[in-house]
Amino acid sequence: MTKRPILIHPDPRLKAVADAVDTYDDPLRALANDMLETMYAAPGIGLAAPQVGVLQRMFVMDCVKEEGAPPQPMVLINPKVVWSSDEKNVYEEGCLSIPEQFADVERPAEVEVTWTNLEGGEQSAKFDGLWATCAQHEIDHLDGKLFIDYLKPLKRQIITRRMQKLKREKARA
Ligand code: K1U
Ligand code: ZN
């Protein structure tokens, strides 16, 4: 398993629509393992393939927060939201591609998602709470959408400028 570098906004790869996965092979399993290692090391509760520069429709997540509880890593390939609740939930979201920036985002409180697992088998589950928020945030990544796209233009611009400055500083270091 290898920790991969996470792209920082703005980057055209974070605005692209990712391609469907059609081959379930060892390189795909290696990518999933690398993404889980990268997510846990960050630390984060989710990570989408475009965030490590791979434009494929796949993400990993583990939203277990209780201290001492066993981890629950999930790998979702070609995920689709097939049902959303009318009830909404507001969560202060962050993003590993937009470090140290947080903002309230309103999304459906519950979603039903279908996906394919690493063996190519069809799966589905209903998510609520942080799992529902995270799954929607990650599926947005696969469609080139970031949580800041839900904010007012001025707030989005302020955050984008902060990230441009951060990238300039990182490049100089
Ligand atoms: O996709 C990403 O950038 C990962 C992101 C997922 C996410 C966070 C909050 C709401 C929705 C989706 C993160 O994991 S940011 C880091 C984070 O939230 C966290 C880190 C350590 C412990 C607990 C949370
Ligand atoms: Zn994110």
Side-chain angles (χ1 to χ4, degrees):
M1 288 214 285
T2 313
K3 215 175 83 171
R4 301 196 185 196
I6 297 175
L7 299 179
I8 303 297
H9 166 73
D11 186 298
R13 289 166 287 183
L14 293 171
K15 299 305 296 172
V17 177
D19 295 323
V21 171
D22 58 10
T23 308
Y24 298 83
D25 55 7
D26 285 345
L28 190 75
R29 283 181 273 280
L31 171 63
N33 285 330
D34 288 356
M35 286 172 59
L36 283 167
E37 179 167 348
T38 306
M39 177 190 79
Y40 285 124
I45 54 171
L47 186 71
Q51 293 180 276
V52 292
V54 178
L55 293 181
Q56 297 217 314
R57 300 190 76 80
M58 170 162 122
F59 74 85
V60 297
M61 69 173 169
D62 184 347
C63 297
V64 171
K65 283 199 303 188
E66 301 77 30
E67 194 116 323
Q72 224 175 288
M74 297 190 72
V75 179
L76 292 86
I77 299 163
N78 297 333
K80 281 192 188 75
V81 174
V82 294
W83 173 84
S84 308
S85 63
D86 290 336
E87 188 196 340
K88 307 285 188 221
N89 196 15
V90 176
Y91 193 88
E92 190 181 47
E93 297 192 16
C95 181
L96 297 175
S97 294
I98 311 176
E100 289 168 34
Q101 307 300 314
F102 303 92
D104 282 350
V105 178
E106 185 184 88
R107 299 182 188 270
E110 284 182 68
V111 285
E112 187 178 348
V113 179
T114 62
W115 72 93
T116 306
N117 63 25
L118 280 168
E119 286 73 45
E122 293 301 316
Q123 310 271 292
S124 81
K126 222 173 191 182
F127 295 110
D128 62 11
L130 185 54
W131 290 88
T133 297
C134 187
Q136 292 172 82
H137 176 115
E138 301 308 332
I139 291 171
D140 273 354
H141 273 302
L142 307 182
D143 292 322
K145 191 162 184 175
L146 300 172
F147 82 91
I148 56 170
D149 294 328
Y150 293 95
L151 309 182
K152 294 202 173 101
L154 181 60
K155 179 113 197 254
R156 184 161 65 240
Q157 193 180 63
I158 289 168
I159 292 177
T160 297
R161 291 209 172 129
R162 280 185 196 143
M163 292 300 104
Q164 285 167 329
K165 184 164 174 268
L166 176 75
K167 286 175 79 167
R168 277 197 304 274
E169 287 163 359
K170 277 188 170 196
R172 263 192 256 115

